[in-house]
Amino acid sequence: VFFLDLCFQFLVAYQVKTDYGFIWVSDHRRIFGHYVRTWFPIDLGSIVPFDILGLLIDTPGVNNFKALKILRLLRILKLLRVLRASRLMHRMESRMNMNYATWDLLKFFTLLGFVTHWLACLWCLTLVLVEENDGVPRWIDCFLAKEEQVVSKTKDTPWKLYVQ
């Protein structure tokens, strides 16, 4: 999906602010140059399958290579494109027949949901950045003693790890 998005971005016109307002640039050479200078490095870094590359290289040190894990964070940068959706929100706000208090409440809860999700993802990312055998205490280690009689441990089930 991200690869198709990367390809389609070379065809999408963009807006440029002028003294008279905004104009759409539809020349393919200018679109190509603009995209390569702005979002292309982030998009390219977000589609590289680092997990598959690690399996193909198959050396013992690659799976524990911290720099490779940090490079996976480039995928998160793809979410910055959501910030560009604020223009869409402004257009919807002007067209919808909703009072401002209701609209602001809706925006607040949507933003709260996104921020909560991103913080939970960062919380679980700490398990990936610090290995179990590094000797550094992790937040999931405190569950091991409490879950001696439990069949499905928290660290082994995605449901408990990400949802609960």
Side-chain angles (χ1 to χ4, degrees), residues 4-13 31 35 43 81 84:
L4 288 175
D5 179 53
L6 182 127
C7 294
F8 285 134
Q9 290 302 316
F10 287 110
L11 304 173
V12 176
I31 292 172
Y35 181 57
D43 289 346
R81 298 190 80 147
R84 295 191 339 185

Side-chain angles (χ1 to χ4, degrees), residues 66-127:
K66 301 261 189 236
L68 186 64
K69 292 178 183 178
I70 292 172
L71 284 176
R72 290 182 194 162
L73 292 174
L74 286 175
R75 292 181 187 168
I76 293 175
L77 292 177
K78 185 79 170 182
L79 294 175
L80 288 176
R81 298 190 80 147
V82 173
L83 296 177
R84 295 191 339 185
S86 66
R87 293 179 295 183
L88 178 65
M89 292 294 280
H90 288 295
R91 276 190 236 138
M92 283 178 51
E93 184 176 324
S94 65
R95 292 182 183 162
M96 294 188 74
N97 189 13
M98 193 181 297
N99 66 12
Y100 287 113
T102 306
W103 185 252
D104 283 343
L105 194 62
L106 180 67
K107 286 195 303 188
F108 170 74
F109 281 117
T110 303
L111 182 65
L112 183 67
F114 277 117
V115 169
T116 304
H117 173 74
W118 289 339
L119 287 175
C121 290
L122 288 173
W123 184 252
C124 286
L125 181 68
T126 61
L127 297 177

